[in-house]
Amino acid sequence: MTALTLSTSGAATLRTDALVVGVGKGDKGLVLAPGAEAVDKAFGGKLATVLEALGAAGAEGEVTKLPAPDGLKAPVVLAVGLGPVPDKGEAYDAEALRRAAGSAARALAGSKKAGFALPAESAEDAGAIAEGALLGAYAFTAYQGGEDKLARKGKKNGNGPKPPLGEVALLGAKPRDKAFKAAAERAVALVEEINRARDLINTPPNDLYPESFAAVAAAAGKEHGIKVQVLDEKALTKGGYGGLLGVGSGSVHGPRLVKLAYTHPKAEKTLALVGKGITYDSGGISLKPAGHNETMKCDMSGAAAVFAAVVASARLGLRVNVTAWLALAENMPSGSATRPGDVLRMYSGKTVEVLNTDAEGRLVLADALTRASEENPDAIVDVATLTGAMMLALGNRTFGIMANDDAFRTSIHEIAEEVGEASWPMPLPADLRKGMESPTADIANMGERMGGGLVAGLFLQEFVGEGIAWAHLDIAGPAFHEGAPYGYTPKGGTGSAVRTLVKLAERTAAGDLG
């Protein structure tokens, strides 16, 4: 990953490939942001004028490069838009800093080092800039840059992507201040795990399947002192995990239930995180139509998120116990696959009539939710790319939050907004439960088409232990970005919900959630 340093150098004296400054959109034109003073001085006080002449307006994410004048050690200045200038006495918010830093880092791909002279007046500001820059510099290149065998031996074809920015040097970030150092260290640990989640999401399904995902989790657990338990097909059969076994029955790659448990000796609270890990979703016998299969490697984004969150919690040494449950299966059509009309007996003992094998995520989550409930955690949060209905309701950038406790749902929504992850609280209308009544089983895995995202939440609620606060995050929209990159969001896997989960763990460790 891109390196991060808190530089003691000034903007004028830092030897680097580029200097990044911030500009805002004011009522009367472009406004230089705090941190740009030394660069403006090198331009004779006319940096804003030059930028405006080049068409810059300070709009969010706007990037303008220009040659550096004498007086700067860097050869290039990059001005990045922060959006509207804050009211007098106020500062740019953390998300504006994150997005601007991400846009700048992406624009500097191929550079070895860049100095970021964005407004870093507080440790929180510095942490946001570090997060944005490190997230924006991400690139998934594991399958690119191979040698063309038809080309001359020993020569690369030269068509690969530019490498990500090598180093981010934060200027004005008070490197000797404990709060600034802690913010930087937190940003590195958090982003490394978000990028690990992104790598998993982007890995093609011929290489990432339940067994190989479990192996990645086991290796990370060993590295960071996290206890890992993997239940294979034999153990799942013995335990009666009908949901996981039913969904995975059509694939040559058997399902897995992976438990990662981080414990702190002084912890007073325990969080359980449950992730949907469908490493590829064909729809099963209820096969997806053409055009809906190509991105289904991302259907394990929920499992990637909770995995990343528990590892980040361990790396940060949070005073809270955090357990992740990865419900891993590959949903494929074959002669052994579950059929519409089959009845599965879940780990809870409840029976489910499968009306649609493409509503499989709720089946694997149900088993994991029941198992997580047996340990009586203080709260459970599940994360899943669960329904297209949630995308229809909230679009591609916002995840929905459902819960059995209004206060808990509100807390998660507030946390998500704080860390810059767009979310929206959604209801669980009791009247929609009737649509899942089955003449054959205790419940069906499908209900009314309208409100389908809420129906899925109601289904999951049936498998949560009594008296446990629970929330369901449907990240179907923001988990995988198919358009052009923006801010710190890349094309492909995004790592959606990791920041929310880690902040939830931090709040729980601090006793802020009761």
Side-chain angles (χ1 to χ4, degrees):
M1 191 179 81
T2 300
L4 175 72
T5 56
L6 301 183
S7 179
T8 56
S9 299
T13 59
L14 181 68
R15 293 188 180 276
T16 182
D17 295 325
L19 276 174
V20 177
V21 297
V23 292
K25 191 172 186 178
D27 294 335
K28 297 181 180 180
L30 181 144
V31 177
L32 300 180
E37 295 84 1
V39 178
D40 186 39
K41 183 179 179 180
F43 276 88
K46 295 184 178 182
L47 177 57
T49 302
V50 173
L51 288 169
E52 286 187 317
L54 293 172
E60 181 183 305
E62 176 187 82
V63 171
T64 306
K65 288 183 181 180
L66 62 164
D70 293 339
L72 298 179
K73 298 295 184 184
V76 172
V77 171
L78 184 151
V80 62
L82 288 158
V85 175
D87 293 335
K88 191 173 182 179
E90 296 185 9
Y92 286 98
D93 66 40
E95 183 61 6
L97 295 174
R98 244 184 240 111
R99 291 179 179 178
S103 295
R106 283 193 297 103
L108 291 169
S111 300
K112 292 181 179 179
K113 181 178 180 180
F116 281 65
L118 296 174
E121 297 175 11
S122 69
E124 290 73 18
D125 292 343
I129 295 167
E131 279 182 34
L134 296 177
L135 287 169
Y138 171 82
F140 183 68
T141 59
Y143 293 82
Q144 296 175 325
E147 185 174 334
D148 185 352
K149 290 184 178 179
L150 297 178
R152 244 180 355 185
K153 188 176 181 181
K155 257 192 150 182
K156 296 289 183 180
N157 58 28
N159 295 324
K162 291 181 180 179
L165 173 62
E167 181 184 342
V168 170
L170 292 191
L171 302 177
K174 301 178 184 177
R176 294 182 180 86
D177 185 289
K178 289 183 179 179
F180 279 82
K181 288 175 67 176
E185 289 169 359
R186 179 189 185 275
V188 170
L190 176 63
V191 175
E192 283 185 351
E193 296 314 318
I194 292 173
N195 286 346
R196 190 205 299 261
R198 289 171 166 182
D199 284 348
L200 287 166
I201 296 164
N202 290 326
T203 299
N206 57 315
D207 282 343
L208 189 76
Y209 41 89
E211 185 178 2
S212 60
F213 195 155
V216 171
K222 185 176 182 180
E223 180 182 358
H224 297 290
I226 300 168
K227 187 176 181 181
V228 180
Q229 179 185 16
V230 179
L231 300 185
D232 60 12
E233 301 101 312
K234 185 176 179 180
L236 292 172
T237 301
K238 185 177 179 180
Y241 292 85
L244 276 157
L245 291 166
V247 173
S249 63
S251 174
V252 295
H253 299 297
R256 297 289 187 273
L257 179 61
V258 180
K259 174 187 177 183
L260 298 102
Y262 160 67
T263 58
H264 191 285
K266 295 183 179 179
E268 296 180 356
K269 298 283 186 180
T270 297
L271 287 175
L273 309 177
V274 176
K276 174 187 173 183
I278 303 299
T279 56
Y280 182 75
D281 182 19
S282 69
I285 297 298
S286 305
L287 193 66
K288 292 180 183 292
H292 291 75
N293 292 289
E294 291 79 3
T295 61
M296 282 299 101
K297 65 181 181 180
C298 79
D299 214 17
M300 37 58 66
S301 296
V306 303
F307 168 46
V310 74
V311 177
S313 297
R315 291 182 61 175
L316 295 170
L318 301 184
R319 193 170 170 169
V320 59
N321 298 329
V322 186
T323 301
W325 299 87
L326 317 183
L328 308 177
E330 186 176 61
N331 188 25
M332 297 291 285
S334 75
S336 60
T338 293
R339 298 153 290 228
D342 282 355
V343 173
L344 305 177
R345 185 171 296 278
M346 312 299 282
Y347 178 71
S348 67
K350 193 185 296 285
T351 55
V352 176
E353 183 180 10
V354 179
L355 299 181
N356 188 326
T357 63
D358 197 22
E360 84 298 330
R362 65 199 69 182
L363 298 175
V364 300
L365 286 172
D367 276 353
L369 284 168
T370 303
R371 180 64 188 88
S373 296
E374 288 182 339
E375 298 191 353
N376 293 311
D378 294 286
I380 298 176
V381 180
D382 76 69
V383 186
T385 48
L386 206 60
T387 66
M390 196 56 55
M391 297 172 69
L392 290 173
L394 298 179
N396 292 324
R397 298 191 182 185
T398 304
F399 63 74
I401 307 171
M402 286 155 262
N404 62 1
D405 180 285
D406 289 346
F408 189 44
R409 181 185 62 190
T410 298
S411 292
I412 292 178
H413 178 227
E414 290 173 348
I415 287 169
E417 296 298 305
E418 178 187 338
V419 301
E421 295 198 301
S423 67
W424 197 250
M426 303 291 281
L428 288 172
D431 62 286
L432 290 178
R433 170 62 178 82
K434 186 174 177 61
M436 289 185 284
E437 291 182 357
S438 165
T440 308
D442 296 321
I443 190 172
N445 77 329
M446 292 290 289
E448 295 182 28
R449 181 170 177 268
M450 300 302 175
L454 312 182
V455 169
L458 286 165
F459 180 91
L460 295 178
Q461 185 175 224
E462 298 267 334
F463 298 88
V464 177
E466 191 172 347
I468 300 173
W470 158 79
H472 161 56
L473 312 186
D474 191 334
I475 62 170
F480 196 84
H481 179 58
E482 295 186 63
Y486 64 93
Y488 53 79
T489 301
K491 186 179 181 69
T494 65
S496 177
V498 177
R499 285 181 287 155
T500 297
L501 296 176
V502 173
K503 179 59 73 171
L504 173 64
E506 289 173 328
R507 287 274 187 89
T508 304
D512 292 346
L513 288 176

